[in-house]
Amino acid sequence: MSVTHIKPMPHTLVLVLCVLFSILYGVWLLPHTVFIRHSCLVIGSLLSLPFIFFNWKIYIQRRAIPIALILLLLVWVSIHLWFIGVDYTMQYAEYTKIWKKIAISLPFALGLGIGLLSNSTDAAKTKIYWRILFIGFLSPTLIYLFKYWITLNAGRWGLALSPFLLRSNDINHPFGIHKVGYVFFCLPAVALAVGCLQNLIRSGSKNVLAYLIYLSVLPITLFNFQVEDTRNGFAYTLILVILGLFGLWLSKSRQFMLRKLTLTALLFVVISYVGYLGFKDDARWNTFVPDAKVAVQVDQFDHWKYCGAVPHGYPVNELGKTVTQSNYERIAWAVVALRLIRDNPLGYGVMDLSFAYLGKLQWPEAECLHQSHSAWLDFALGYGIPGVLLLLLAAILAWVYSKNTPQPWANIGRWGLGSMMLLLITTEISSEVFINALIFLIVLTSTLSLIFSQIKSGTNENTTQLSNEK
């Protein structure tokens, strides 16, 4: 494949973009941070535009397909607004608010990717960029720990805290944050830590501090999930750790056996800890399969319409026990959502609550339906099969192409983006900040995988990105 010359971005500008992303990622989840988020997005995009213009030829290659698919998604959403949507007023409000911000964020993602990529042959610079970005991915967990600590001790110290510092999971509280938000924004740091630990072992690194830093990410994030009592957090942490160990031992190399065994033992402790906290005395896990057998019978048992306000109580499973509400509703809603997608293949037209609107049209008595508990299903309900296919295919291709991206940037795609894609299967995170963050990471990951030839300043000598072609 022919390569395209790329104009390198100045080191200082790349540092600025990295810091802007870290700030953005840290506050993306926090309520009442719109000014900070918008400032980061707008400044990052404006700084990136000249380098996108100078390097536009780099996007004429197969690995830029995910970026093209995201642009097609924006076109599809526009077509949906004008010609397909059911509720134009609501859809137009979402279009001018949510999709406008997503569109504004794209140049920032492209520019950050170009900046990191064009300096990828400089190990010293890359190390600095990586540290800043990793702190950004870890910052939601660190902010949570600080808020937990200060909220716990404020009363003892007689302090009246600002609402910004209070930890609250009450979604009706002005500064409350739902637990699924923490899982979405905190899980990628766990995934990146697992990927980095894998790389340290494979490279034979003796950097003890690096091992300790990445290992420490797991317990502090699990503490967050434990306090918030989120099954998804425990389940996906367990999946990521198992995948990390599987990939480590799948390697044919017999080198560094002692380090492999040591890391495996430590991660086994993490797995045991996750299993103990997430599965102990939890009826939701113990009766999952019997509950599922009842939940899939959505025509015979319509209790899923009432969300806890069931007139005659919930049905009984094969064990003779009343089904667990959480298990029953999640599975039943998934089945109902699939039927609604079949009946409405072009979607309702809004990102977050199309399940509620379509459900209400078909079952007027279903007063309390909100989301299907699967972001992929919710997005399909909103923007139809074409919309979800464009987003899903862009994510999958970006993940696949990231395999040949230079390290440490490959980890952002293989582990960071990969963890988000997995989480969206069973989590109700189809609203603005989550989809915006997902699309940003898709575009960033795709840009980092591009093949290029770098033009050195002041000379005609070229250096090729060898890590991309082997």
Side-chain angles (χ1 to χ4, degrees), residues 228-285:
E228 295 299 316
D229 187 27
T230 167
R231 282 194 298 174
N232 276 339
F234 287 121
Y236 284 102
T237 299
L238 187 63
I239 291 171
L240 290 172
V241 171
I242 292 173
L243 288 175
L245 289 176
F246 181 75
L248 185 62
W249 287 100
L250 195 62
S251 172
K252 295 179 180 180
S253 174
R254 295 182 177 273
Q255 289 184 310
F256 317 118
M257 183 62 68
L258 180 59
R259 296 178 195 178
K260 286 185 179 182
L261 290 171
T262 303
L263 183 60
T264 299
L266 291 172
L267 293 181
F268 179 78
V269 172
V270 173
I271 292 176
S272 302
Y273 178 67
V274 170
Y276 174 74
L277 293 178
F279 300 95
K280 67 170 183 174
D281 302 324
D282 193 331
R284 295 175 298 182
W285 293 111

Side-chain angles (χ1 to χ4, degrees), residues 352-366:
D352 193 22
L353 295 174
S354 287
F355 181 61
Y357 299 129
L358 289 172
K360 184 68 176 176
L361 288 175
Q362 189 156 340
W363 304 284
E365 71 276 16

Side-chain angles (χ1 to χ4, degrees), residues 246-429:
F246 181 75
L248 185 62
W249 287 100
L250 195 62
S251 172
K252 295 179 180 180
S253 174
R254 295 182 177 273
Q255 289 184 310
F256 317 118
M257 183 62 68
L258 180 59
R259 296 178 195 178
K260 286 185 179 182
L261 290 171
T262 303
L263 183 60
T264 299
L266 291 172
L267 293 181
F268 179 78
V269 172
V270 173
I271 292 176
S272 302
Y273 178 67
V274 170
Y276 174 74
L277 293 178
F279 300 95
K280 67 170 183 174
D281 302 324
D282 193 331
R284 295 175 298 182
W285 293 111
N286 299 334
T287 63
F288 182 83
V289 174
D291 291 346
K293 293 179 180 179
V294 176
V296 295
Q297 303 178 61
V298 294
D299 296 317
Q300 182 176 351
F301 303 104
D302 65 351
H303 305 69
W304 49 268
K305 297 178 183 177
Y306 305 102
C307 307
V310 181
H312 305 295
Y314 281 91
V316 175
N317 60 32
E318 63 185 21
L319 301 178
K321 299 179 180 179
T322 302
V323 295
T324 304
Q325 179 182 344
S326 176
N327 290 342
Y328 169 78
E329 288 179 345
R330 285 173 179 268
I331 298 167
W333 288 340
V335 174
V336 172
L338 288 170
R339 291 189 178 186
L340 288 174
I341 293 170
R342 178 197 63 193
D343 298 337
N344 304 273
L346 296 181
Y348 184 85
V350 291
M351 182 183 295
D352 193 22
L353 295 174
S354 287
F355 181 61
Y357 299 129
L358 289 172
K360 184 68 176 176
L361 288 175
Q362 189 156 340
W363 304 284
E365 71 276 16
E367 295 284 349
C368 67
L369 297 182
H370 297 291
Q371 296 167 309
S372 69
H373 278 266
S374 169
W376 292 118
L377 292 179
D378 284 330
F379 198 85
L381 289 166
Y383 293 101
I385 295 174
V388 76
L389 284 180
L390 286 170
L391 182 60
L392 183 59
L393 188 57
I396 292 173
L397 287 178
W399 181 82
V400 170
Y401 292 151
S402 68
K403 180 179 180 181
N404 294 319
T405 300
Q407 287 292 4
W409 311 127
N411 283 336
I412 292 181
R414 302 298 287 179
W415 289 96
L417 177 60
S419 67
M420 284 187 178
M421 292 165 59
L422 281 175
L423 186 62
L424 264 62
I425 297 174
T426 61
T427 312
E428 65 278 23
I429 44 179

